[in-house]
Amino acid sequence: MRAKWLALWHQPVVAFIGWTAFYFVILMILVYLYGYSGLNNSTFIYNEF
C-alpha cells in the first residue's frame, strides 16, 4: 500500500497539487494569524510624526 502511495506522489501533477495545497494551507494560517493581530488596534510608528 505504501509503495502505491509513493508511486502516486511521484507523479508530477499529483506532487504539484499536493505541494500547492500544502502552501495554500500555510498561507491561510498566516492570513488568519495576521487578521488576529488587529491592524487597526496597534499604533503605527509613523502616526506620531
Side-chain angles (χ1 to χ4, degrees):
M1 184 72 172
R2 183 167 187 247
K4 206 181 234 188
W5 282 106
L6 286 176
L8 183 66
W9 180 252
H10 286 294
Q11 297 290 327
V13 174
V14 176
F16 176 77
I17 292 171
W19 284 114
T20 303
F22 175 73
Y23 284 118
F24 180 75
V25 168
I26 289 177
L27 184 65
M28 288 298 107
I29 290 170
L30 290 174
V31 167
Y32 175 73
L33 291 176
Y34 179 73
Y36 229 150
S37 68
L39 186 62
N40 294 329
N41 295 338
S42 62
T43 59
F44 190 59
I45 190 169
Y46 296 113
N47 286 343
E48 298 176 6
F49 289 121

